[in-house]
Amino acid sequence: MAFVSTIRLSRIYGSSYQTNLSWICTSHAQASSEENGKPYDISTYQFPYTLEERSLILSIINNATEEMLARLKVSKSMRKKLLKDRHQTGSYMDLSQLLNVDGMGIKSVEQLCSFILKDMGETEKETDPNDSSFVYKKRLVKPRLQQHVLKNIKTLVSLDVTVGFLSWTKLDNKSAVLDVNCEEILTASSRLDLPKLYEKVVNISKRIPVADAYVWEEKANYGHLQGATLGIIIASLQLAQIRGMLTALLEPCHGRGAEKRLFYLRDALVSKLFRLKVGSERISGINLADQLVKGHQLLEWLPALDISKEAQTKFITCERTKRRHMATSLFIGLAFSQVLILQNKNALKILSR
């Protein structure tokens, strides 16, 4: 049976596309059987996933490498077709767009979605979602925040620190995004000795907004350096130097009194809340961040983002490389704010599984 398909995409303001499928069959009006003799009418078929599941599935597909797709049981030939179509199409905005990939039918799309959801499935034992102490028991944040410190946090700055870039997001205690930014530290051609690197970090740190608390992800595991190339070892050393400098600069400069103002989140907290892992690999989630910044509520536990117009414009207009780092700092800030400050029960429930 032969089909001719046309997909008309009309851009809606901000990002999304509305997909209209017109399927013409040379002999029947309804698509052929896909599974166990069950007929599917492709022009009206709805994929059986929630809004959050659709968003998470699309985020994975839009960021997946060929190796990730292989772990998701996608055949070699289909991986090449999918990656080629994604390159030509850009980011997929709806699951139905996958049907335009040669050889991809409803059954194969649903099979891929099932593997993705299964791969992201929770394996940890459930604890009481109303008790936030498990966040500390699992060492998802350190040091432990005293209640009087939490109550006094009016503003928060979350940071993403890499060798190349330092990005930050400033939020208030209601999770409203007040500012975002990303600064370049080192480039591939940079040749900075330690004093010059320190001077560069000091200058950048002066532009980090003053806040009641600062938070970044803890990345103290250096097991990956065993057998690593010299370049990777040098980059890891530079990153450790940069983070050490920032720790020394942020704590006394912006801290108040003797209370700790710099906190560390395990990457497991952010990865779990925003579903940023495929197998053992962490994805950037930039497409998810783009949608959140534009006001779309894509995660059931997270209310629509309250973001200043200036911060929204800075994020949207920033070039993609910097925006990827800004997305990470945004996720860190939202995770800290929702879990520790607001104690969002739906977020705590996700973490407790």
Side-chain angles (χ1 to χ4, degrees), residues 45-238:
Y45 185 78
Q46 296 291 323
F47 288 99
Y49 307 109
T50 66
L51 177 64
E52 182 180 12
E53 288 173 335
R54 288 169 183 258
S55 172
L56 294 171
I57 291 168
L58 288 170
S59 178
I60 295 298
I61 294 174
N62 285 329
N63 289 280
T65 62
E66 185 170 1
E67 291 74 19
M68 292 179 186
L69 292 174
R71 286 203 305 274
L72 294 170
K73 311 297 184 184
V74 180
S75 68
K76 184 176 181 179
S77 61
M78 186 56 69
R79 294 198 298 268
K80 293 184 180 298
K81 291 178 181 179
L82 183 57
L83 291 173
K84 180 179 179 181
D85 185 76
R86 188 181 71 184
H87 177 73
Q88 294 174 343
T89 304
S91 296
Y92 293 114
M93 307 305 297
D94 192 275
L95 292 178
S96 60
Q97 288 178 266
L98 294 171
L99 296 172
N100 203 40
V101 179
D102 183 30
M104 186 79 83
I106 290 175
K107 180 181 176 181
S108 51
V109 172
E110 289 191 348
Q111 187 176 49
L112 174 59
C113 293
S114 296
F115 278 123
I116 291 174
L117 294 175
K118 182 180 179 181
D119 191 70
M120 295 188 301
E122 312 293 353
T123 58
E124 295 182 17
K125 216 174 185 182
E126 186 168 354
T127 57
D128 182 3
N130 296 315
D131 178 13
S132 62
S133 64
F134 72 85
V135 174
Y136 299 106
K137 291 176 182 177
K138 295 184 178 182
R139 299 181 181 180
L140 295 178
V141 61
K142 61 181 182 180
R144 184 168 188 144
L145 286 90
Q146 302 299 323
Q147 283 300 314
H148 72 278
V149 175
L150 277 172
K151 290 179 180 179
N152 289 328
I153 295 178
K154 305 302 180 185
T155 54
L156 161 74
V157 169
S158 53
L159 304 110
D160 177 51
V161 188
T162 67
V163 173
F165 298 93
L166 169 60
S167 61
W168 63 80
T169 300
K170 184 175 183 179
L171 306 93
D172 66 15
N173 59 359
K174 302 295 184 184
S175 268
V177 178
L178 307 176
D179 188 26
V180 294
N181 203 4
C182 184
E183 298 269 354
E184 188 173 66
I185 302 177
L186 296 175
T187 65
S189 59
S190 295
R191 295 292 183 269
L192 299 182
D193 56 23
L194 195 57
K196 289 183 179 178
L197 178 61
Y198 179 71
E199 182 181 357
K200 184 74 176 285
V201 173
V202 168
N203 289 333
I204 293 176
S205 71
K206 291 177 181 178
R207 295 190 284 276
I208 299 175
V210 175
D212 298 308
Y214 298 84
V215 57
W216 64 35
E217 285 186 294
E218 179 61 86
K219 298 178 180 178
N221 183 2
Y222 298 104
H224 67 287
L225 295 180
Q226 185 174 1
T229 63
L230 179 60
I232 293 177
I233 293 174
I234 292 175
S236 297
L237 176 60
Q238 288 178 323

